[in-house]
């Protein structure tokens, strides 16, 4: 299964019986900050439902769906299932709901929240997810320019360069599978 992610925020929208659902697909790093901002921006909103998926360092996936006061299982989990179905990782969906006066029922809520999330995902530029890693490599002075050239060709970034008595020690950062070839 090829995982995908996003690098910036995307928005989606759905309206059902005058209830409005505003979806925000964000990178996981922006999740908490964006939730706070949305709570301030949409003080009159009835609910802000969230779902997120994050890859942990040990390879496990941490995920959750929160209903924010909607009936249990009608909003957070359907939104999370949309993220799972799209094979998204290290991102979150936040759906702001303004109540339109007509109750939608459990099925209606599930369809509306998941539909708004799907709309945001359909507008997003999804990129292949690559697990990033850091690695330290050492070489003598005579080979250092060859190593630097290889690193540049691989497209990884040198984050630290330390010179020792024997040569140079480079700390590089990039996709895990690319660093394995160094």
């Amino acid at each position: 299964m090829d995982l995908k992610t996003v690098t910036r925020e995307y928005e989606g929208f759905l309206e059902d019986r005058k209830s409005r659902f505003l979806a925000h697909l964000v990178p996981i790093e922006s999740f908490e900050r964006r939730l706070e901002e949305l709570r301030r921006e949409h003080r009159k909103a009835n609910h802000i439902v969230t779902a997120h998926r994050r890859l942990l360092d040990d390879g496990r996936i941490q995920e959750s769906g929160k209903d924010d006061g909607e009936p249990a299982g009608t909003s957070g989990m359907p939104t999370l299932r949309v993220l799972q179905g799209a094979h998204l990782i290290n991102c979150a969906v936040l759906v702001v709901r303004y109540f339109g006066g007509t109750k939608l029922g459990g099925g209606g809520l599930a369809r509306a929240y998941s539909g708004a999330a799907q709309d945001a995902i359909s507008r997003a530029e999804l990129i292949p997810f690559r697990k990033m890693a850091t690695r330290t490599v050492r070489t003598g002075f005579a080979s250092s320019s060859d190593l630097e050239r290889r690193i540049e060709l691989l497209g990884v970034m040198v984050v630290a360069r330390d010179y020792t008595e024997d040569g140079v020690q480079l700390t590089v950062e990039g996709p895990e599978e690319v660093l394995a070839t160094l």
Side-chain angles (χ1 to χ4, degrees):
M1 161 176 55
D2 290 331
L3 296 173
K4 300 176 201 100
T5 194
V6 294
T7 56
R8 67 176 187 86
E9 182 172 337
Y10 295 91
E11 296 179 358
F13 177 79
L14 188 133
E15 187 168 334
D16 187 354
R17 291 171 264 180
K18 297 185 182 175
S19 281
R20 293 180 306 140
F21 299 84
L22 314 168
H24 302 266
L25 175 65
V26 299
I28 197 70
E29 301 81 28
S30 306
F31 175 54
E32 294 295 331
R33 177 188 51 80
R34 195 63 179 115
L35 179 58
E36 289 173 20
E37 289 172 358
L38 290 172
R39 288 197 192 285
R40 283 192 306 272
E41 290 172 26
H42 298 278
R43 289 190 179 152
K44 294 185 178 186
N46 298 81
H47 307 279
I48 300 179
V49 166
T50 62
H52 83 276
R53 299 186 79 212
R54 173 192 322 248
L55 185 65
L56 300 174
D57 290 338
D58 62 7
R60 292 179 301 129
I61 295 176
Q62 174 193 59
E63 55 189 11
S64 78
K66 304 238 168 119
D67 295 319
D68 191 39
E70 292 283 22
T74 61
S75 51
M77 285 310 294
T79 304
L80 176 60
R81 280 193 219 99
V82 171
L83 287 176
Q84 292 167 337
H87 305 289
L88 287 171
I89 196 74
N90 285 8
C91 57
V93 175
L94 306 97
V95 184
V96 178
R97 178 189 183 194
Y98 285 94
F99 183 59
T102 303
K103 292 190 176 192
L104 303 180
L109 285 172
R111 283 187 296 279
Y113 278 105
S114 60
Q118 188 58 51
D119 188 50
I121 292 169
S122 71
R123 297 168 188 268
E125 180 183 338
L126 304 179
I127 59 170
F129 174 77
R130 299 173 88 183
K131 188 173 180 183
M132 300 302 272
T134 303
R135 184 169 176 197
T136 302
V137 291
R138 295 173 182 83
T139 189
F141 289 115
S143 308
S144 64
S145 62
D146 289 337
L147 179 60
E148 292 261 2
R149 202 173 4 262
R150 258 184 83 203
I151 288 170
E152 186 178 331
L153 288 172
L154 290 173
V156 296
M157 186 170 70
V158 176
V159 293
R161 197 177 271 110
D162 297 309
Y163 295 96
T164 65
E165 293 175 4
D166 304 326
V168 65
Q169 175 178 302
L170 301 173
T171 304
V172 294
E173 185 178 84
E176 202 171 62
E177 69 274 8
V178 173
L179 291 183
T181 65
L182 265 177

